[in-house]
Amino acid sequence: MSRPLITILDDEPEIRRILTDTLEEAGFRTQSFARAREFEASLNRVTPDVCLVDLSLPDTDGLALVHRLALEQGAAVIIISGRAQVQDRVTGLELGADDYITKPFDPAEVVARIRARLRGGPRSAATTGNSAEFSGWTAHFDRYILEDDSGAETPFSHAEGEVLRLFLESPKRLISRAQMQESLGGGAGESFDRAMDVRISRLRTKLREDPKNPRLIKTIYGAGYIFLGDVTWL
């Protein structure tokens, strides 16, 4: 089995060196880039398993890049940034990042966060499948597409897909925020809760739910969420 590929986008040479050495010692393959242009060109040749992206880039807006990656790539996206304000973390997660690590960081923590992301993806795919049917919809997790019964397609991000898969693997069962945090990884607290609220809101919109009375993803106040549809994995 090939080793997971981690790409690093950061314009600081020392950060790239530390991450490359640590990740390769931990058993990962790496590619590192100082410019977004080179990084995005590499994505046309190979899809990494996880992208580590700094927000302060010399040739593009880091947040806009994260948003594009979340919508267009099958890789998980972890922001590594010196921006430590809660709002920066919330914005990054709202735009589709799977996790957010602030500088200065402990390299061992980066490895742990990456492993948590990888456990959340391939393990789930192995136990179920790449597509699931429910309530007139088909979710294609290999293509990050929601397809309705007329064949119309709506894309979803990697982060949204993690939440949707969690619901579809446990239909008609309460999922608490603590269980979501354990399954999806990332730091607990306000930024995680806000990110989950945003992802669930976006999923409801893409599933054409009535925001005042959703029929599929129900909020159980003070307890968590429950998915009410019947699910068939393909």
Side-chain angles (χ1 to χ4, degrees):
M1 183 177 179
S2 62
R3 295 179 297 159
L5 174 63
I6 315 300
T7 58
I8 302 159
L9 174 58
D10 197 301
D11 65 335
E12 297 182 54
E14 183 64 10
I15 295 292
R16 296 198 305 275
R17 184 193 66 78
I18 290 171
L19 287 173
T20 296
D21 290 349
T22 301
L23 292 172
E24 291 189 352
E25 184 177 344
F28 298 107
R29 293 179 295 137
T30 65
Q31 290 181 322
S32 66
F33 304 91
R35 297 291 184 272
R37 181 178 63 256
E38 302 163 352
F39 169 77
E40 292 188 277
S42 75
L43 299 177
N44 295 324
R45 300 187 297 271
V46 61
T47 299
D49 296 283
V50 177
C51 300
L52 303 179
V53 180
D54 183 26
L55 294 182
S56 300
L57 300 169
D59 59 339
T60 195
D61 175 31
L63 286 172
L65 174 61
V66 166
H67 190 49
R68 289 199 304 275
L69 288 171
L71 290 177
E72 298 171 7
Q73 293 292 323
V77 181
I78 298 178
I79 294 172
I80 298 185
S81 175
R83 303 181 193 176
Q85 298 297 317
V86 169
Q87 188 54 50
D88 291 320
R89 296 171 62 88
V90 169
T91 300
L93 294 167
E94 285 179 343
L95 289 174
D98 296 88
D99 207 344
Y100 194 113
I101 300 172
T102 56
K103 298 177 181 177
F105 55 83
D106 182 341
E109 179 186 2
V110 177
V111 172
R113 297 284 188 98
I114 289 172
R115 285 176 173 159
R117 297 260 61 83
L118 295 175
R119 286 198 303 270
R123 181 180 61 182
S124 296
T127 57
T128 52
N130 282 326
S131 298
E133 291 181 345
F134 60 96
S135 305
W137 293 92
T138 304
H140 300 284
F141 290 97
D142 54 342
R143 297 189 291 128
Y144 295 86
I145 291 292
L146 273 170
E147 181 182 357
D148 67 16
D149 53 11
S150 73
E153 296 184 343
T154 302
F156 56 84
S157 71
H158 181 278
E160 292 163 352
E162 283 194 321
V163 176
L164 180 59
R165 181 184 280 277
L166 183 62
F167 285 136
L168 297 183
E169 290 184 335
S170 302
K172 302 179 182 178
R173 291 172 52 191
L174 178 68
I175 301 176
S176 69
R177 285 187 179 263
Q179 289 171 317
M180 296 180 76
Q181 196 276 329
E182 182 180 356
S183 296
L184 301 179
E190 178 185 350
S191 60
F192 177 84
D193 290 344
R194 175 76 180 276
M196 290 302 102
D197 289 341
V198 169
R199 293 175 195 179
I200 289 168
S201 176
R202 289 180 175 173
L203 284 173
R204 284 172 171 158
T205 298
K206 292 176 180 182
L207 292 169
R208 302 169 197 158
E209 294 265 74
D210 178 353
K212 295 182 179 179
N213 186 31
R215 62 189 179 87
L216 286 176
I217 304 173
K218 289 282 190 180
T219 301
I220 310 299
Y221 291 100
Y225 299 93
I226 187 168
F227 185 85
L228 295 179
D230 294 318
V231 181
T232 300
W233 285 93
L234 306 177

